[in-house]
Amino acid sequence: AYILAKMAMAEAEGEDTEGKALVILVILNRLKAENFPDTVSQIVSQKNAFTSYRNGRYDRSEPDEDCWEALNLVASGWDKSQGALYFERTPGQGESTWHSENLEKLFSHGNHTFYGERG
């Protein structure tokens, strides 16, 4: 639970509670998926999986009350993730990213766009 709340802070500090919950859900969706590691810790630390882990922001972050509220929201059964396995800061108009070129865009929330595998 602490790792999930900490990742919500590191990846979505400026987002609303649902935005933080969506980050948590991406991690939990990966936990259920075959092509990802089998523990939350391994998912978070997987090479190049999360920018905040790679750049050290995760290590400097501490979850605030809103992160715990997001975790409670997810624990209560809230899930509007549409099965998303990836997210990124929403690209600018006309901007192309690896995510936008290689994954299926599912939806945007706040400053993030969420994606699933194609096909």
Side-chain angles (χ1 to χ4, degrees):
Y2 176 72
I3 293 170
L4 293 170
K6 189 171 171 103
M7 279 302 291
M9 186 67 165
E11 290 284 343
E13 180 176 5
E15 300 296 321
D16 63 9
T17 306
E18 289 186 358
K20 290 177 178 77
L22 288 166
V23 167
I24 291 168
L25 284 164
V26 164
I27 296 166
L28 294 176
N29 290 344
R30 287 182 180 194
L31 194 58
K32 296 178 220 169
E34 290 183 20
N35 296 334
F36 291 94
D38 295 327
T39 69
V40 168
S41 179
Q42 290 172 333
I43 288 167
V44 167
S45 63
Q46 187 177 20
K47 185 176 180 175
N48 297 323
F50 294 96
T51 301
S52 68
Y53 193 87
R54 187 176 66 243
N55 70 17
R57 179 164 168 71
Y58 172 84
D59 292 328
R60 297 186 305 273
S61 294
E62 276 303 316
D64 64 10
E65 186 177 322
D66 197 39
C67 294
W68 294 108
E69 190 174 324
L71 189 60
N72 287 334
L73 184 64
V74 170
S76 75
W78 182 90
D79 186 350
K80 292 188 179 176
S81 72
Q82 299 179 32
L85 295 170
Y86 306 89
F87 66 91
E88 69 177 344
R89 175 171 287 280
T90 299
Q93 186 73 16
E95 183 182 356
S96 180
T97 66
W98 181 88
H99 290 81
S100 65
E101 291 182 9
N102 294 284
L103 301 169
E104 178 184 344
K105 178 182 174 183
L106 300 174
F107 63 95
S108 293
H109 181 95
N111 292 320
H112 288 133
T113 299
F114 293 82
Y115 301 88
E117 300 283 352
R118 283 205 174 133

